[in-house]
């Protein structure tokens, strides 16, 4: 097996406190990494690096774990630029525009959707993302949901069945609930690792707490892990339901009560914050400080989708988290790497220590702080495959 030695690393973020300066980021300066067969074989000070078959000098750049984008909706056609423009003139987001994307997606061929999905994955990779979760949810028929998950499975192992995105036009709520928890679930489960639900009593299109419980329970019985869109538009029941059912992650968390924060602090569910959504819907940002200070595990993700947030950029999300949610640059990077890995219940990614996957992101900068310090500048790029 060939070994490659990466040197010229001004700053290496390992996310393993035992390897570096003792901080959660596990920082090493003037570091080196040895990669073997797609995995990290060694990390440490450059002066103590063992020999390797090949050598690559990174010229004083920073290396960080590849970004883990644990929440994205990438299988869709069309866009909703007009809806965005209307919002910037004062219209509110309520999920009603999802129907527009469903129609455009159903009307597209497999090859068209595959090309659109591939383009979005390439965009992410060019901005430093090495792992991405991909949801269905713009098909909303058995065949269209299966198709979305089959295509998603061509680019990631983190596939999520989101038949319960909204109740599609022309279908009764009770009939659709039966389908989502019955035939559609049975057809989709072989292609999915996770099930998700848009739990939002404040939206007439989405699902209330009782409906979300029925959907998640059926998904769990079918062998799927649980994720929840919760508390995006109101302080609804999503967060507490996610914690009660042991979901891996509850995402958005924009409107939280004290009871929600207490539940998250006492449970195992990661709170995944999606500040690109607040940016793109002109909404108040989640209270990240309150969550972190309460001891909650926080992840950051893009939520890349054509309605509430059409960015594929984890660096933008981290910059927003720092500027708008008062996370430190270190907290934001941790949340976009190790936090995302925890939200996906993965221990092979998000950390650069021996034995983990060598998913590396290189920054054209000497330190991770530049991710927020240089917003909008394309300094991050992945040098490994998506997983
Ligand atoms: O996470 N809130 C539900 N789903 C997506 C938006 C989907 C859309 O508007 O197309 C979200 O924000
Ligand atoms: Fe989402």
């Amino acid at each position: 097996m060939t070994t490659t030695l990466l040197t010229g690393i001004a700053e290496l973020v390992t996310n393993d406190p035992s390897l570096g300066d003792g901080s959660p980021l596990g920082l090493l300066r003037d570091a080196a990494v040895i990669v073997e067969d797609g995995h990290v074989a060694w990390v440490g000070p450059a002066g103590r690096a063992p020999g390797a078959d090949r050598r690559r000098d990174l010229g004083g750049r920073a290396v960080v774990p590849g970004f883990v984008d644990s929440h994205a909706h990438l299988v869709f056609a069309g866009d909703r630029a007009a809806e965005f423009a209307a919002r910037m003139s004062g219209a509110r987001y309520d999920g009603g525009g999802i129907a527009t994307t469903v129609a455009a997606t159903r009307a597209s061929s497999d090859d068209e959707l595959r090309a659109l999905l591939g383009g979005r994955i390439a965009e992410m990779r060019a901005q430093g993302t090495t792992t991405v979760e991909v949801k269905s949810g713009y098909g909303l028929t058995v065949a269209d949901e299966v198709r979305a998950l089959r295509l998603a499975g061509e680019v990631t192992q983190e596939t999520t069945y989101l038949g319960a995105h909204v109740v599609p036009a022309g279908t009764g709520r009770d009939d659709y609930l039966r389908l989502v928890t019955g035939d559609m679930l049975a057809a989709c489960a072989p292609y999915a690792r996770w099930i998700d639900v848009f739990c939002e009593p404040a939206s007439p299109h989405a699902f209330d707490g009782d409906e979300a419980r029925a959907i998640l329970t059926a998904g769990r019985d079918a062998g799927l892990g649980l994720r929840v869109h919760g508390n995006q538009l109101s302080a609804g029941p999503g967060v507490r339901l996610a914690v009660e059912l042991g979901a891996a992650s509850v995402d958005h968390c924009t409107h939280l009560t004290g009871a929600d924060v207490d539940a998250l602090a006492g449970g195992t569910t990661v709170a995944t914050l999606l500040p690109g959504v607040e940016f793109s819907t002109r909404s108040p940002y989640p209270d990240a400080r309150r969550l972190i200070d309460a001891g909650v595990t926080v992840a950051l993700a893009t939520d890349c989708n054509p309605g509430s947030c059409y960015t594929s950029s984890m660096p933008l999300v981290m910059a927003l988290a720092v500027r708008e949610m008062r996370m430190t640059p270190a907290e934001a990077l941790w949340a976009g790497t190790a936090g995302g890995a925890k939200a996906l219940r993965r221990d092979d990614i998000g950390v650069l220590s021996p034995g983990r996957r060598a998913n590396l992101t290189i920054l054209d900068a000497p330190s991770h702080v530049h991710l927020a310090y240089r917003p909008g500048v394309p300094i991050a790029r992945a040098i490994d495959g998506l997983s």
Side-chain angles (χ1 to χ4, degrees):
M1 207 60 75
T2 310
T3 52
T4 303
L5 170 66
L6 302 174
T7 57
I9 302 174
E11 179 187 270
L12 176 68
V13 173
T14 66
N15 281 343
D16 182 340
S18 74
L19 285 177
D21 60 350
S23 75
L25 286 192
L27 281 179
L28 283 157
R29 298 192 201 285
D30 297 322
V33 178
I34 293 183
V35 176
E36 182 174 15
D37 191 23
H39 288 78
V40 175
W42 183 90
V43 299
R48 283 198 239 136
D53 302 321
R54 288 193 306 222
R55 196 186 170 93
R56 185 167 160 195
D57 187 340
L58 298 181
R61 292 179 171 80
V63 171
V64 303
F67 306 141
V68 179
D69 191 347
S70 59
H71 183 142
H73 308 243
L74 301 185
V75 189
F76 67 86
D79 74 42
R80 288 166 30 215
E83 181 187 318
F84 174 79
R87 247 191 342 262
M88 293 304 106
S89 303
R92 281 173 63 88
Y93 177 86
D94 75 349
I98 291 171
T100 309
T101 303
V102 169
T105 304
R106 286 180 185 167
S108 298
S109 70
D110 287 17
D111 282 345
E112 285 165 342
L113 284 178
R114 186 179 283 116
L116 290 164
L117 173 62
R120 291 168 192 138
I121 294 284
E123 232 177 71
M124 290 181 154
R125 192 174 158 69
Q127 297 171 94
T129 296
T130 53
T131 303
V132 62
E133 180 256 19
V134 177
K135 301 175 196 298
S136 67
Y138 294 117
L140 310 187
T141 66
V142 174
D144 287 302
E145 285 295 298
V146 167
R147 174 169 79 148
L149 287 165
R150 204 172 20 82
L151 293 170
E154 294 176 6
V155 298
T156 185
Q157 68 190 79
E158 302 298 342
T159 53
T160 300
Y161 166 51
L162 182 59
H165 201 181
V166 289
V167 178
T171 310
R173 182 165 277 273
D174 289 347
D175 287 346
Y176 193 65
L177 265 172
R178 259 191 300 279
L179 184 66
V180 160
T181 56
D183 290 350
M184 190 185 280
L185 170 62
C188 287
Y191 299 95
R193 177 170 185 221
W194 305 99
I195 185 169
D196 195 345
V197 54
F198 183 12
C199 178
E200 186 52 78
S203 165
H205 314 284
F207 300 87
D208 68 21
D210 290 341
E211 292 165 342
R213 178 186 294 278
I215 290 158
L216 293 168
T217 307
R220 187 174 58 190
D221 292 347
L224 303 179
L226 310 185
R227 326 187 66 73
V228 178
H229 281 70
N231 299 47
Q232 177 181 5
L233 307 175
S234 68
V239 165
R240 272 167 289 159
L241 180 65
V243 174
E244 182 199 322
L245 296 181
S249 180
V250 58
D251 301 31
H252 287 287
C253 299
T254 310
H255 299 272
L256 295 176
T257 64
D260 293 325
V261 177
D262 290 348
L264 285 164
T268 57
T269 302
V270 172
T272 299
L273 308 183
L274 311 165
V277 173
E278 282 73 38
F279 178 84
S280 298
T281 57
R282 194 171 274 149
S283 305
Y285 286 88
D287 195 343
R289 278 263 57 89
R290 186 178 180 195
L291 289 169
I292 292 170
D293 294 346
V296 175
T297 301
V298 167
L300 288 169
T302 61
D303 198 11
C304 182
N305 75 81
S308 65
C309 179
Y310 198 2
T311 185
S312 53
S313 173
M314 285 294 285
L316 172 67
V317 165
M318 289 186 261
L320 289 173
V322 171
R323 173 61 181 83
E324 302 294 335
M325 304 200 304
R326 297 179 187 278
M327 290 172 72
T328 66
E331 286 169 340
L333 177 57
W334 190 93
T337 52
K342 288 187 186 300
L344 294 172
R345 301 232 159 124
R346 294 271 299 269
D347 57 16
D348 58 330
I349 57 174
V351 175
L352 295 178
S353 58
R356 313 288 180 125
R357 295 178 69 97
N359 288 355
L360 308 174
T361 284
I362 298 182
L363 307 183
D364 282 329
S367 100
H368 70 282
V369 177
H370 285 235
L371 284 164
Y373 172 50
R374 307 205 65 214
V377 181
I379 61 169
R381 73 196 131 94
I383 59 162
D384 208 284
L386 281 152
S387 57

